[in-house]
């Protein structure tokens, strides 16, 4: 086997990635570290097979492009404006001060100003993945310090765009021309911002409306890929990075009703290509060089952790929050972040950072990420030691009038489908003050509803990523209101796998698919035609003088029995019959038939129910199991056609005549 063959190298890369990432996920270690290990194992600095890095680097660049694109989706201009105090305050200040402080230390240690700036930018990043996962395991994800830490970590992503613009410029400019070069780069960034936003707002929404109208997942995916890469090509033509253009395009689409579906569509491409990016970073790591730089790596990790923790604690304390919470937040953010690797790769590619310095910085970030879970696990004890505060329960927060307000609660109900039924249900929920969010695949309907201020988004509810983006983790109820049975089954299965306890109500047109939906995990299935029959029957009974409580009990009993009485109907013309629909079938028992004298409970009725018995012209509903069959009785059986045929064969064995016209 030729190990240099692209096919063999692809198999080798994929096989190694599957094995390592699977092991890391079982050990609850971030997948990004697993990809780094794959890169080390398949890189040129270790024994064994080596994967060619050139095609890998070409693909990995798209991982950064798609990463910035999804970041832009989650930080549209209205969202940034609404959160401007946190973004421009604590979040941006943390990144700016950390970059400046670490950069100054690196410059004082003898690094060139440009290289020192890159080191500071790399150290300023934090790992949202490590912070969020560890806090969730400790049950602290809703505490005040967790909200502050996660919020500031997420907002660090907004600062990625300026770094992506500035770092490549540093290599091309001398000290004398740096100011002018940066000013020109920022001017081009402003031009790109204007182009993408003006042209994007003018073209993107109509384009996606036109594409969504075809309801083709393939066409939608192609459009998302084209838009993200076309925006990147625009900024690349201006001498800026492709990732910056993708970020701007994401911000434009983040303001539209297509945001959740776009994010779900791009996520598989982003995750795979970003994994390749981390594999490429791992290939840069030379284990033999670790013997030369391990002490610099440990020193860098110490500087990263201590400087960030102290700066963040000072910023949070300056915002009026108590010292213990400030230090707990600082320790959370002291962990190095995956996006630091992206900035380091950009610095290496631009020639701002040389290979030896890159090895030391890479080791520093890795050491800090490895220490991250321990720091977060013990952050409360460490904070108490730093402020000498009295012990408090690990998940508790002391009252503080200066604490930032919690974000508003998300939707309590998710509606999958926003047609006639979904809109009516949404309006009922709104009248009761219950927050909801809806998904629909009709782009024109979504556009009209959003213009009216209703919380509806374009998206496929059968995709878990879309449901999660809409707030599945916090929802108290999911209601499937569309009549696409296959999509409803996939939606129920996705919800059940991710949130086994949340109730799921499903609307169907008829009772034919109710059993399949219940088997998939639906809490309740509401057949539209049967509910209409119930409403008509209850009104008829009321008109005939039946007391309202009795009518209500009958309706509730029918629903509790899954509409068994309503589903029992006789078939008509066989050419129009549904072979899978449950139905009624009447059999008259001859005097010499085997069932005569036997109780109903002893009859071989596999999957069939005796819903009524007609004897001497009188009809008995739901006869008791101990009732014995007499000659001339007519049994009214209920079940699927195949089960009815088997039951008839077992009961009568061909010796009974067809039933005559019998009263009903």
């Amino acid at each position: 086997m030729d190990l240099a063959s692209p096919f063999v190298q692809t198999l080798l890369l994929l096989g190694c990635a599957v094995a390592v990432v699977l092991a890391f996920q079982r050990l609850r270690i971030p997948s990004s570290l697993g990809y780094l290990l794959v890169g080390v194992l398949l890189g040129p600095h270790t024994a064994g097979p080596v994967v060619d890095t050139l095609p890998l680097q070409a693909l990995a660049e798209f991982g950064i492009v798609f990463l910035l694109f999804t970041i832009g989706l989650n930080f549209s201009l209205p969202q940034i404006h609404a959160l401007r105090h946190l973004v421009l305050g604590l979040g941006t200040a943390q990144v700016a001060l950390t970059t400046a402080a670490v950069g100054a230390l690196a410059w004082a240690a003898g690094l060139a100003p440009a290289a020192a700036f890159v080191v500071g930018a790399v150290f300023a990043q934090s790992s949202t993945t490590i912070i969020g996962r560890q806090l969730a395991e400790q049950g602290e994800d809703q505490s005040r310090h967790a909200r502050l830490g996660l919020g500031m970590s997420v907002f660090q992503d907004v600062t990625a765009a300026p770094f992506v613009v500035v770092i490549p410029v540093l290599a091309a400019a001398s000290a004398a021309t740096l100011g002018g070069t940066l000013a020109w780069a920022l001017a081009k960034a402003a031009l790109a911002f204007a182009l993408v936003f003006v042209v994007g707002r003018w073209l993107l929404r109509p384009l996606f409306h036109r594409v969504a109208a075809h309801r083709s997942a393939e066409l939608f995916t192609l459009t998302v890929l084209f838009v993200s890469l076309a925006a990147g090509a625009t900024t690349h033509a201006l001498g800026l990075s492709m990732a910056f253009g993708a970020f701007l395009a994401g911000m434009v689409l983040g303001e539209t009703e297509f945001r959740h579906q776009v994010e779900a569509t791009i996520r598989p491409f982003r995750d795979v290509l970003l994994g390749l990016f981390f594999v490429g970073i791992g290939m840069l790591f030379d284990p033999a060089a670790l013997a030369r730089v391990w002490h610099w790596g440990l020193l860098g990790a110490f500087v990263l952790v201590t400087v960030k923790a102290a700066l963040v604690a000072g910023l949070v304390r300056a915002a009026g929050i108590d010292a213990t919470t400030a230090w707990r937040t600082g320790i959370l953010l002291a962990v190095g972040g995956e996006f630091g690797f992206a900035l380091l790769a950009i610095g290496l590619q631009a020639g701002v950072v040389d290979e030896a310095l890159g090895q030391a910085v890479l080791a520093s970030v890795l050491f800090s990420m490895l220490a991250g879970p321990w720091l977060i696990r013990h952050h409360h004890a460490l904070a108490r030691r730093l402020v000498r505060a009295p012990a408090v329960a690990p998940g508790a927060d002391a009252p503080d009038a200066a604490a930032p307000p919690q974000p508003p609660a998300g939707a309590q109900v998710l509606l999958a489908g926003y047609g006639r039924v979904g809109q009516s249900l949404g309006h009922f929920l709104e009248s009761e003050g219950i927050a909801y969010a809806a998904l629909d695949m009709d782009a024109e309907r979504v556009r009209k509803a959003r213009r009216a201020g209703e919380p509806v988004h374009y998206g496929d509810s059968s995709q878990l990523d879309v449901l999660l983006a809409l707030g599945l983790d916090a929802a108290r109820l999911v209601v499937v209101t569309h009549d696409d049975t296959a999509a409803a089954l996939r939606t129920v299965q996705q919800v059940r796998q991710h949130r086994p306890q949340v109730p799921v109500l499903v609307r169907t047109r008829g009772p034919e698919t109710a059993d399949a939906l219940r088997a998939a995990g639906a809490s309740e299935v509401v057949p539209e035609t049967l509910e209409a029959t119930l409403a008509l029957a209850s009104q008829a009974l009321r008109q005939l003088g039946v007391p309202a409580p009795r009518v209500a009990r009958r309706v509730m009993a029918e629903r509790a029995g899954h509409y068994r009485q309503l589903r029992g109907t006789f078939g008509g013309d066989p050419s129009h019959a549904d072979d899978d629909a449950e139905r009624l079938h009447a059999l008259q028992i001859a005097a010499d038939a085997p069932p005569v004298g036997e109780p109903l409970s002893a009859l071989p009725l596999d999957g069939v129910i005796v819903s009524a018995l007609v004897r001497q012209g009188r009809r008995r509903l739901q006869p008791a199991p101990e009732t014995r069959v007499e000659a001339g009785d007519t049994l009214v059986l209920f079940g699927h056609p195949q089960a009815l045929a088997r039951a008839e064969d077992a009961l009568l064995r061909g010796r009974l005549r067809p039933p005559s016209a019998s009263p009903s």
Side-chain angles (χ1 to χ4, degrees), residues 16-360:
C16 188
V18 169
V20 172
V21 173
L22 179 62
F24 272 49
Q25 289 188 349
R26 292 191 64 179
L27 295 172
R28 308 188 70 82
I29 301 174
S31 299
S32 55
L33 297 182
Y35 286 116
L36 288 171
L37 179 58
V38 171
V40 173
L41 295 175
L42 299 180
H45 304 294
T46 54
V50 176
V51 171
D52 188 8
T53 60
L54 290 179
L56 186 66
Q57 290 172 353
L59 284 174
E61 184 178 358
F62 291 118
I64 299 300
V65 170
F66 292 146
L67 173 62
L68 267 293
F69 181 70
T70 53
I71 290 173
L73 286 172
N74 291 289
F75 288 99
S76 62
L77 278 182
Q79 291 171 310
I80 292 178
H81 183 265
L83 298 167
R84 60 191 180 279
H85 300 299
L86 188 55
V87 173
L88 300 178
L90 295 179
T92 306
Q94 179 264 316
V95 174
L97 289 178
T98 303
T99 303
V102 174
L105 289 174
W107 184 40
L111 293 184
F117 175 82
V118 173
V119 173
V122 171
F123 281 19
Q125 308 303 311
S126 301
S127 175
T128 306
T129 303
I130 294 177
I131 297 171
R133 180 174 297 173
Q134 189 65 37
L135 287 173
E137 289 181 2
Q138 297 171 198
E140 298 181 49
D141 49 330
Q142 295 302 316
S143 61
R144 182 175 49 186
H145 58 276
R147 293 194 302 270
L148 275 170
L150 286 171
M152 293 174 68
S153 176
V154 170
F155 292 143
Q156 287 174 358
D157 296 337
V158 180
T159 66
F163 284 133
V164 167
V165 172
V166 170
I167 291 176
V169 174
L170 299 178
S174 62
T177 62
L178 180 60
T181 306
L182 279 177
W184 176 234
L186 293 176
K188 290 191 292 185
L191 175 61
F193 182 88
L195 279 175
V196 173
F197 262 77
V198 173
V199 177
R201 289 189 172 190
W202 180 53
L203 287 179
L204 289 186
R205 191 188 292 265
L207 172 63
F208 274 90
H209 271 292
R210 181 69 61 87
V211 169
H214 291 273
R215 301 195 179 193
S216 168
E218 177 185 5
L219 181 59
F220 195 90
T221 301
L222 288 172
T223 306
V224 171
L225 294 175
F226 170 74
V227 166
S228 57
L229 294 178
T234 301
T235 53
H236 184 69
L238 293 172
L240 304 172
S241 71
M242 293 180 63
F244 181 63
F247 176 80
L248 296 178
M251 290 183 69
V252 174
L253 288 173
E255 301 179 26
T256 70
E257 60 270 31
F258 302 102
R259 176 169 70 92
H260 298 308
Q261 185 63 40
V262 168
E263 185 175 7
T265 300
I266 203 70
R267 181 169 294 168
F269 298 95
R270 182 203 66 185
D271 290 346
V272 172
L273 294 175
L274 200 57
L276 293 179
F277 166 77
F278 285 120
V279 171
I281 292 292
M283 289 181 173
L284 299 176
F285 187 72
D286 183 2
L290 187 61
R292 300 190 301 271
V293 302
W294 67 267
H295 53 293
W296 292 113
L298 288 177
L299 177 62
F302 176 78
V303 170
L304 188 158
V305 170
T306 54
V307 169
K308 283 176 67 177
L311 285 175
V312 172
L315 288 170
V316 175
R317 190 73 183 96
I321 298 174
D322 65 280
T324 302
T325 300
W327 275 107
R328 294 175 79 176
T329 306
I331 295 171
L332 294 182
L333 286 170
V335 181
E338 295 90 346
F339 200 79
F341 294 133
L343 298 181
L344 178 60
I346 294 173
L348 287 167
Q349 186 178 12
V352 180
V353 176
D354 60 35
E355 185 177 349
L357 177 60
Q359 295 289 333

